[in-house]
């Protein structure tokens, strides 16, 4: 997304990714009333090639935007941050390291927390040279890397959370090179194990029965492997206890073969249950099963697992705790949202809201295109107007709603029709992706940010479908929505047209933004809130179209990513961020570091606000911890003062995004949010003044979100005022009336296609 990334990619994508498409006519494909193209138009850029895959994987869509994606694009792949270990495939061998915390001061007078790949162990075949690394296999949180040439092969398996790298070598012995002289740790009665302490860290290699470990020099060892037993595993140890080494020895010979995540939505309890399953092949000895490492979002408050957890690694994600099991489950509460909030009825500021609505409706066409002409800014503009449409409708202006509806539909038809030579969608069969022209933020060149961009379109289309289902049907314009959803969140594995959950990492529990995985610190994601916007769109689209599978997929992605955000971006549970980290939140999360910055500016409000926008009815999760909300907002003034003191560039406008922070604060204290908001101040270009005021007046009227109450339907919200009065909302997207039961005993009857409200 940034200039550094763009320059870095040019050298190795070369002709494969940057050749301009031929000037031959693009091949159109009809999708209902819409059209997409099988080749770019004119001289538009093509997507990058991903040739560094096994023959079997070349038959399926390329897994871009993952923690390991640099493997498939780059003949010199970047570091892989698997947690707790880091890996890098190099011509000299396979590098393995246990990273340590590095506190790095910045020009912003704060710090970044890095866990860099340094001082690795290098493992290589002793009897043949390695070739270009390729991705040989990928399951939900484990990968195989092939590093051989012809019949001479070294295959390495690594996984999220695993303390091991498992290696298979086609012939000969194995060589181990160390970053410094090591002390050998005695291992009673097991000659298979080579345990070493290197530069204060402990590692162990587990060879087959009959292996002979020979020290060649203070920094080099040879493992003499018996014929027919070309396997070993290498691990880092989280501590120096003998029982920990014994634990890792017991599970070292269970080589991961497959990893799989399954999700299920329990509507009655309003929660998502996720099951993680790992299958393994026992190379020798008893079948003790795999040893898995659980992230904080998996083990924290997971009472069923607490007593079973073993030693822990200190990582960039907090404590990763070991679990001797092939399967475990997590549950996340789904606390609901509705497509829109009802009209404001009690506020004395209704006239002010009506006045703003008139102004925003006059400017609606202009506000659809404030900056960019690509899919990101056009999508933001569309959702901005459909969110305004929600407010206008709920405040009783049905003529105004219809005009905004037609305006939005016309803009979507301009894009989806394919009639324009400049604004259109292209499906690339070789990579398995949909890209939009014109390109923004390297969404084609580097496959960046598809879930951010398309999330706005999906949500806007869902808002339209609530009013005009025929227009949004599959036979008309809705088929393109299904295509965009498939691009970012296909739930099936091994398909030729789209990869499994392109942007989402099932084990880390959140999305990744970079398509090609550039940089020394692995993949990254900045705007976690835009990812949530996409998943909320999936939920709505699935509910509106009656597709339970799509709705449940959206619920899984939405609830899981919220949990990860609360741990790794906001750390509301106090389990992750280092004590040295001076900021309240993380704005940029990488595989190997976290930082308080953005790709495009170091202005404090945008650094903080990028993980809040867009504010919609699905953003109530941001108020999960009201004290944290206030602490986060309170941190803004000293951050701005520090920015000014060091000569930072003044924001333009000087009160940039003030509406975002007023709405965010209103989730904790509606009166404070309203007091902070400036009616004629700046507004974020995905929002309107009308929507911002309606948001805050609604919270003033209903109260702040009450996450303790759940319901047995998909689209619901509960709010509680300081005086204890609750407001219950439920929306019915089905064709029949429903009776919604809330967990506190309240029931609500909801007519088809209606929003119901009760106290």
């Amino acid at each position: 997304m940034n200039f550094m990334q763009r320059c870095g990619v040019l050298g190795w994508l070369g002709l494969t990714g940057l050749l301009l498409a031929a000037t031959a006519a693009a091949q159109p494909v009809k999708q209902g009333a819409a059209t997409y193209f099988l080749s770019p138009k004119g001289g538009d850029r093509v997507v990058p090639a991903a040739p560094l895959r096994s023959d079997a994987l070349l038959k399926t869509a390329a897994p871009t935007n993952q923690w390991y994606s640099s493997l498939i694009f780059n003949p010199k792949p970047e570091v892989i941050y698997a947690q707790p270990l880091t890996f890098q495939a190099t011509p000299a061998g396979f590098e393995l390291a246990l990273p340590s915390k590095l506190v790095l001061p910045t020009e912003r007078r704060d710090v970044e927390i890095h866990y860099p790949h340094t001082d690795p162990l290098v493992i290589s075949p002793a009897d043949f040279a390695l070739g270009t690394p390729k991705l040989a296999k990928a399951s939900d949180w484990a990968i195989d890397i092939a590093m051989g040439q012809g019949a001479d092969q070294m295959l390495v398996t690594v996984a999220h959370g695993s303390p091991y790298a498992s290696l298979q070598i086609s012939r000969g012995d194995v060589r181990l090179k160390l970053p410094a002289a090591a002390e050998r740790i005695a291992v009673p009665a097991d000659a298979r194990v080579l345990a070493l302490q290197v530069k204060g860290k402990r590692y162990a290699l587990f060879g087959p029965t009959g292996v002979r470990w020979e020290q060649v020099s203070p920094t080099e060892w040879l493992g003499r492997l018996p014929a027919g037993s070309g396997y070993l595993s290498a691990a880092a140890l989280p501590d120096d206890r003998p029982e920990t080494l014994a634990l890792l020895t017991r599970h070292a010979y269970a080589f991961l073969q497959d990893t799989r995540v399954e999700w299920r939505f329990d509507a009655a309890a309003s929660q998502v249950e996720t099951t993680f399953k790992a299958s393994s092949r026992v190379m020798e000895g008893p079948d003790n099963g795999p040893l898995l490492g659980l992230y904080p979002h998996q083990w924290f408050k997971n009472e069923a697992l607490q007593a079973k957890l073993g030693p822990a690694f200190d990582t960039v994600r907090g404590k990763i705790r070991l679990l001797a099991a092939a399967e475990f489950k997590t549950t996340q509460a789904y606390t609901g949202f509705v497509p829109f909030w009802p009209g404001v009825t009690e506020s004395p500021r209704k006239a002010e809201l009506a006045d703003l609505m008139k102004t925003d409706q006059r400017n609606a066409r202009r506000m659809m295109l404030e900056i960019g002409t690509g899919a990101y800014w056009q999508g933001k503009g569309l959702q901005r107007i459909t969110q305004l449409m929600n407010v206008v409708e709920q405040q009783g202006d049905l003529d105004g709603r219809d005009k905004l509806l037609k305006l939005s539909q016309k803009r979507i038809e301009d894009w989806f029709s394919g009639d324009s030579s400049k604004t259109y969608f292209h499906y690339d069969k070789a990579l398995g992706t949909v890209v939009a022209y014109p390109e923004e933020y390297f969404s084609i060149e580097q496959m960046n940010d598809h879930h951010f961009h398309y999330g706005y379109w999906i949500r806007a289309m869902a808002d339209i479908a609530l009013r005009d289902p025929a227009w949004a049907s599959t036979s008309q314009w809705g088929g393109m929505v299904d295509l965009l959803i498939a691009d970012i969140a296909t739930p099936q594995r091994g398909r030729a047209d789209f990869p499994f959950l392109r942007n989402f990492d099932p084990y880390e529990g959140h999305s990744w933004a970079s398509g090609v995985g550039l940089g020394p610190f692995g993949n990254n994601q900045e705007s976690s809130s835009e990812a949530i916007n996409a998943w909320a769109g999936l939920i709505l689209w699935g509910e509106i179209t009656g597709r339970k599978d799509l709705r449940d997929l959206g619920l899984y992605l939405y609830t899981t990513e919220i949990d990860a955000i609360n741990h790794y971006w906001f750390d509301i549970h106090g389990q992750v961020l280092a004590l040295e980290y001076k900021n309240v939140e993380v704005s940029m999360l990488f595989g190997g570091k976290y930082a308080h910055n953005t790709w495009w500016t170091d202005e404090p409000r945008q650094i903080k606000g990028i993980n809040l926008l867009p504010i919609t009815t699905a953003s109530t999760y941001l108020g999960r911890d009201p004290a944290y909300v206030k602490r986060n907002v309170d941190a803004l003034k000293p951050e701005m003062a520090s920015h000014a003191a060091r000569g930072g560039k003044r924001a333009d406008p000087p009160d940039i995004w003030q509406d975002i922070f007023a709405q965010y604060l209103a989730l904790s204290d509606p009166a404070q949010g309203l007091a902070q908001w400036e009616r004629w101040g700046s507004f974020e270009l995905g929002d309107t003044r009308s929507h911002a005021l309606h948001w805050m007046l609604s919270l003033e009227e209903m109260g702040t979100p009450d996450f303790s109450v759940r319901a047995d339907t998909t689209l619901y919200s509960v709010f509680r005022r300081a005086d204890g009065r609750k407001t219950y909302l439920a929306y019915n997207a089905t064709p029949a009336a429903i009776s919604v039961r809330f967990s506190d005993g309240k029931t609500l009857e909801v007519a088809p296609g209606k929003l119901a409200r009760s106290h």
Side-chain angles (χ1 to χ4, degrees):
M1 187 183 222
N2 68 335
F3 181 76
M4 178 196 75
Q5 283 186 301
R6 183 171 187 263
C7 292
V9 77
L10 296 180
W12 52 263
L13 286 183
L15 292 176
T16 61
L18 299 183
L19 280 174
L20 297 180
T23 56
Q27 303 173 55
V29 178
K30 295 296 291 183
Q31 186 88 350
T35 300
Y36 65 90
F37 297 87
L38 296 181
S39 58
K41 296 186 178 183
D44 286 340
R45 186 189 304 279
V46 298
V47 300
L52 301 175
R53 294 177 279 162
S54 66
D55 290 344
L57 288 184
L58 285 172
K59 297 176 182 178
T60 65
T64 68
N65 301 81
Q66 287 298 319
W67 51 285
Y68 53 82
S69 289
S70 73
L71 276 169
I72 67 176
F73 294 100
N74 190 351
K76 297 180 180 179
E78 303 282 0
V79 176
I80 295 173
Y81 289 84
Q83 315 301 348
L85 304 183
T86 56
F87 306 104
Q88 189 165 23
T90 76
F94 186 75
E95 295 184 355
L96 174 153
L98 178 63
S100 296
K101 179 174 64 179
L102 175 65
V103 180
L104 187 69
T106 77
E107 70 280 359
R108 298 181 306 280
R109 300 179 185 174
D110 61 5
V111 301
E112 295 181 357
I113 303 299
H114 293 196
Y115 278 73
H117 177 72
T118 55
D119 297 326
L121 280 60
V122 183
I123 306 170
S124 63
D127 299 295
F128 59 87
L130 295 171
T132 301
K134 291 185 177 182
L135 181 67
K137 182 181 177 182
S139 58
D140 290 3
W141 74 87
I143 60 171
D144 288 354
I145 306 169
M147 299 180 65
Q149 302 181 74
D152 290 333
Q153 290 290 328
M154 183 169 81
L155 187 72
V156 186
T157 302
V158 300
H160 272 325
S162 175
Y164 306 103
S166 303
L167 297 92
Q168 299 177 66
I169 298 174
S170 59
R171 67 179 177 90
D173 299 325
V174 64
R175 188 186 310 277
L176 172 66
K177 291 187 177 180
L178 308 174
E183 172 191 351
R184 186 171 188 178
I185 302 167
V187 181
D190 199 335
R192 301 174 302 171
V193 182
L194 174 65
L196 302 168
Q197 181 162 305
V198 189
K199 301 190 77 170
K201 297 178 182 178
R202 293 191 166 216
Y203 298 92
L205 282 83
F206 307 92
T209 297
V211 65
R212 289 185 292 110
W213 295 107
E214 296 179 2
Q215 186 170 15
V216 178
S217 74
T219 59
E220 185 174 342
W221 288 76
L222 279 176
R224 301 294 188 184
L225 304 180
S229 298
Y231 56 85
L232 71 152
S233 58
L237 306 178
D239 56 53
D240 60 1
R241 297 184 302 158
E243 53 267 37
T244 298
L245 177 55
L247 172 68
L248 267 72
T249 303
R250 285 197 298 274
H251 298 276
Y253 298 95
F255 284 23
L256 288 175
Q257 298 295 295
D258 187 49
T259 57
R260 181 170 289 257
V261 174
E262 299 172 352
W263 57 86
R264 183 182 70 87
F265 178 57
D266 182 345
S270 194
Q271 67 181 21
V272 173
E273 179 184 270
T274 307
T275 303
F276 299 84
K277 297 180 178 180
S279 60
S280 56
R281 173 190 174 194
V282 179
M283 306 304 289
E284 67 174 53
D287 185 359
N288 294 316
L291 188 62
L292 308 178
L294 275 58
Y295 285 61
H297 75 278
Q298 295 165 332
W299 61 256
F300 185 71
K301 293 188 177 180
N302 194 333
E303 296 180 1
L305 289 176
Q306 290 291 336
K308 302 176 183 178
L309 297 176
F313 288 90
D314 173 53
T315 80
V316 71
R317 298 289 182 268
K319 297 292 185 185
I320 288 185
R321 301 188 178 278
L322 296 179
L323 174 70
E327 179 178 325
F328 67 93
K329 297 178 186 290
T330 64
T331 58
Q332 285 101 14
Y334 168 65
T335 51
F337 70 93
V338 290
F340 44 79
W341 289 344
V344 173
T345 59
E346 300 174 6
S347 175
R349 300 179 69 170
K350 284 197 303 179
E352 180 184 3
L353 177 58
D355 185 50
L356 285 178
M357 285 165 43
K358 292 177 183 177
T359 301
D360 284 338
Q361 289 178 80
R362 284 196 301 269
N363 295 325
R365 187 177 300 277
R366 176 183 59 80
M367 288 195 296
M368 291 178 73
L369 186 59
E370 292 276 3
I371 296 182
T373 58
Y376 177 76
W377 281 105
Q378 288 282 280
K380 276 178 76 82
L382 278 167
Q383 182 171 308
R384 177 189 211 179
I385 299 308
T386 59
Q387 292 292 301
L388 173 62
M389 176 182 69
N390 291 339
V391 174
V392 169
E393 176 188 75
Q394 293 305 299
Q395 291 304 126
D397 182 0
L398 300 186
D399 288 340
R401 175 205 60 191
D402 291 343
K403 290 177 182 178
L404 294 172
L405 177 65
K406 295 298 183 185
L407 178 65
S408 303
Q409 288 174 318
K410 177 61 169 59
R411 182 56 55 89
I412 289 172
E413 289 173 7
D414 290 344
W415 270 78
F416 283 5
S417 68
D419 292 340
S420 170
S421 62
K422 296 181 180 180
T423 56
Y424 66 97
F425 291 92
H426 155 51
Y427 171 71
D428 184 86
K429 287 185 177 181
L431 198 63
T433 186
V434 174
V435 292
Y437 297 88
E439 180 178 20
E440 287 179 331
Y441 306 115
F442 312 112
S443 59
I444 299 171
E445 181 181 335
Q446 297 180 28
M447 289 291 295
N448 289 347
D449 303 344
H450 284 202
H451 58 324
F452 297 163
H453 297 199
Y454 300 160
Y456 285 107
W457 292 81
I458 296 163
R459 178 62 201 265
M461 283 291 292
D463 287 331
I464 291 171
L466 291 173
R467 282 86 182 182
D468 194 344
W471 181 91
S473 66
T474 301
S475 62
Q476 292 298 306
W477 303 99
M480 280 296 291
V481 179
D482 293 335
L483 195 69
L484 298 182
I485 290 173
D487 183 75
I488 63 175
T490 286
Q492 295 84 24
R493 300 160 179 85
R495 281 172 46 165
D497 53 353
F498 294 105
F500 174 65
L501 300 183
R502 180 189 306 282
N503 287 95
F504 194 73
D505 187 326
Y507 209 77
E508 286 240 352
H510 62 81
S511 310
W512 294 114
S514 172
V516 296
L518 285 175
F521 288 96
N523 213 323
N524 71 88
Q525 178 159 268
E526 186 178 48
S527 183
S528 60
S529 48
E530 287 183 299
I532 292 298
N533 187 59
W535 311 146
L538 262 66
I539 295 170
L540 277 176
W541 190 254
E543 188 75 4
I544 291 166
T545 59
R547 292 168 55 188
K548 182 176 179 292
D549 58 338
L550 181 58
R551 179 206 68 178
D552 289 358
L553 169 63
L555 289 165
Y556 160 67
L557 297 170
Y558 180 81
T559 57
T560 305
E561 187 130 14
I562 286 173
D563 204 11
I565 290 166
N566 283 332
H567 278 282
Y568 309 126
W569 274 262
F570 298 154
D571 193 27
I572 66 173
H573 306 295
Q575 297 293 316
V576 177
L577 299 186
L579 294 176
E580 300 90 343
Y581 189 66
K582 298 180 180 180
N583 294 294
V584 177
E585 90 290 354
V586 168
S587 56
M588 302 174 76
L589 187 88
F590 292 77
K593 74 173 184 179
Y594 49 85
H596 189 70
N597 206 346
T598 72
W599 287 117
W600 77 95
T601 182
D602 66 349
E603 195 281 316
R605 281 165 293 199
Q606 294 170 80
I607 291 174
K608 195 176 291 289
I610 192 60
N611 281 291
L612 305 178
L613 62 85
I615 298 289
T616 74
T617 52
S619 302
T620 50
Y621 74 95
L622 293 169
R624 185 67 56 89
D625 185 339
Y628 173 80
V629 172
K630 290 188 176 182
R631 190 165 71 252
N632 199 357
V633 173
D634 287 346
L636 193 55
K637 287 185 179 179
E639 288 173 17
M640 292 170 61
S642 175
H643 177 72
R646 64 177 186 271
K649 184 178 178 181
R650 188 182 184 190
D652 184 21
D655 64 342
I656 192 166
W657 293 4
Q658 60 90 25
D659 58 326
I660 292 291
F661 292 103
Q663 292 175 86
Y664 177 50
L665 183 58
L667 286 169
S668 172
D669 189 323
Q672 278 193 335
L674 282 162
Q676 180 173 302
W677 181 64
E678 295 290 340
R679 172 178 175 175
W680 299 117
S682 76
F683 50 91
E684 194 271 322
L685 298 181
D687 204 2
T688 61
R689 293 187 172 97
S690 298
H691 180 266
L693 181 58
H694 180 267
W695 166 275
M696 290 181 286
L697 293 179
S698 294
L699 290 173
E700 182 183 50
E701 197 168 282
M702 297 187 299
T704 55
D706 186 342
F707 299 108
S708 68
V709 182
R710 305 185 204 175
D712 63 353
T713 194
T714 306
L715 303 176
Y716 74 93
S717 287
V718 181
F719 301 86
R720 181 195 291 266
R721 298 200 322 191
D723 61 9
R725 189 187 77 170
K726 294 180 183 178
T727 295
Y728 302 84
L729 303 178
Y731 186 87
N732 179 8
T734 73
I738 60 173
S739 180
V740 177
R741 291 178 293 277
F742 292 85
S743 60
D744 62 356
K746 179 71 176 181
T747 60
L748 196 56
E749 305 300 322
V750 193
K754 298 295 182 181
L755 175 72
R757 170 178 178 168
S758 179
H759 298 303

